[in-house]
Amino acid sequence: MTDIRVAVTDLVRFCHRSGDIDHRFTPSPSGAEGIAGHQHLYRQRPASYRREYAVEYAHGAGALTLTLRGRADGYDPEHGLVEEIKTCRTDPGAIPPAVAALHLAQARLYAAIIALQEERESLRVQTTWLNIDTLESAAYDEVCDRDSLTAFLEDTLARFSDWLGRIARLRDERDASLGALDFPWGAFRSGQRDIAELTYKCIDQGGQLLLEAPTGIGKTAAVVFPALKALARGKHDKVAFITARTVGRRAAEDALATCAGAGYRGSSLSLTAKETICLSPGSACHGDDCPYARGYYDKLPAALHAALERRTLRRAELEELAREHTVCPYELALDLLPWVDVVIADAHYAYSLAALLGHAMDGGGERWSLLVDEAHNLPGRARRMYGATLGKRQLLQAKKAAPQALARALERCNRQMLALNRAEWEAPDFHSATEIPASLLRALEHLVAET
């Protein structure tokens, strides 16, 4: 019996997204702002209202047990209400139907579990959208009986179980192929076996390993091979090969291709920057402007099935699939992340402030191993990823096009930058500071407030 745990939010995203890609209506408040928005609405709820109400439900499908977990934003047993709260920075009364339906589906799943566990005959299911800036809100609700909620829950879980069964079969094929796979580069070169053994032991023990070896020894092959072997033995669930340069990405792709040629049957995905892989440059990322965003979620299931049939998903394969199914190749790659065995990606995807792989590693409940190629490049990359620049030329260009109040705020920043420049001339040894000067910080805060 295989037991798989899944969050309600992930289940909803997989089964109930529809329509176009449209980031114009994606909730954009920060985590802290979202919490503040929830607290604002909680203060308006009655004493019988229970916040962050935990739910859990187990679903059996053959040899698979799917355990569904989550927290409803609110449950009021006295008034028979289940509520899901979303914060945004747009008109809460103008949320697109597809977005509203997605989050209503999430509330329905919470309600279905509560109705079954507490034997409620019916519940009012509500999603409430709150504009975090204006505190305006809008609610979408419906009254559902227990039978309809149960049918909705079971149908959703059945669809997801079918997909998981497919993934399980693919992984069984992968593991069988890895059991028969010998080192496909022939005899180990001097030092390669030591690297491979150290890598496997590190993965097995969940440790950290820093390797240094001369060019040409075959380091990529020596770390990729044991990382794949460890997949079949349950030592970890996913492998991410992190590169800082294109040559590192190609080396990883070539190593996986060699393993595939020797019988390996796993899947791999190479992530490419959005602006590089875009098939409709110059178009906005929504269905009104881009054909690859239009109806994306309706076409996604077929694209996912076709992608996993290919197993090897480099940029060329993703672009071919995207054209075949008329879907955005960048978004398709992101939707494939939970289902592939190996991800090859630039360091940005693992270590930046908006790291996609970082979020996947933290939230998925799976064990990842990172193989970081040429790790000596990380300090320079980190300085660029975590640093920020404010250019005087761009600031003055923005000032010309800005309305009066915003232009004044920009000029205030400009004056503070001029003051810093004068200070540097007066004190030639002045090059850096550990903190932003207080006067410049106040000017920047004023600018942000005006925007």
Side-chain angles (χ1 to χ4, degrees), residues 118-131:
E118 303 199 4
E119 298 183 350
R120 303 287 307 225
E121 290 300 322
S122 67
L123 286 166
R124 182 158 63 92
V125 182
Q126 177 173 304
T127 54
T128 302
W129 287 81
L130 175 72
N131 185 312

Side-chain angles (χ1 to χ4, degrees), residues 386-408:
Y386 302 145
T389 59
L390 178 63
K392 181 178 176 65
R393 178 179 298 177
Q394 288 82 3
L395 188 147
L396 293 177
Q397 287 175 342
K399 178 186 168 185
K400 290 179 181 178
Q404 188 174 11
L406 184 55
R408 285 197 299 267

Side-chain angles (χ1 to χ4, degrees), residues 87-114:
T87 55
C88 61
R89 280 204 157 93
T90 188
D91 178 4
I95 301 299
V99 178
L102 174 68
H103 296 299
L104 191 58
Q106 184 177 345
R108 279 181 189 155
L109 290 177
Y110 291 133
I113 297 172
I114 292 170

